[in-house]
Amino acid sequence: MVRVPLTEAERARGERLGAVLREARGGRSMVEVAAEAGISVETLRKIETGRIPTPAFFTVVAVADAVGLPLEALRGAVPTG
């Protein structure tokens, strides 16, 4: 399967999502947050660095819950268009 290259807007959106989640994680370790969210540390690292610009909705919910970030806060922080 050939993956279609990301647009600049998709790349920027992924980086913004990652930055918001990383900021919400604060001083907690990636290991701790990933374990609480039920994902691998590598997946969390990729999300936080924008390498997974469109993570699955349930993954975003799990990470947001693990860092105590209401989904409503993501709505305004990460542009959708």
Side-chain angles (χ1 to χ4, degrees):
M1 176 170 96
V2 176
R3 184 171 283 169
V4 178
L6 298 172
T7 66
E8 197 60 39
E10 290 169 328
R11 202 169 298 125
R13 185 178 59 228
E15 289 171 358
R16 181 66 188 138
L17 172 64
V20 170
L21 292 173
R22 186 173 49 253
E23 184 179 325
R25 179 166 58 86
R28 295 176 63 195
S29 74
M30 291 182 102
V31 172
E32 179 184 351
V33 172
E36 191 172 329
I39 62 173
S40 72
V41 174
E42 185 59 23
T43 296
L44 180 57
R45 181 177 290 111
K46 287 178 180 179
I47 291 170
E48 286 191 356
T49 59
R51 288 178 41 216
I52 300 177
T54 55
F57 175 75
F58 294 106
T59 301
V60 174
V61 170
V63 174
D65 283 347
V67 297
L69 182 67
L71 289 180
E72 189 62 31
L74 289 176
R75 184 176 184 178
V78 181
T80 58

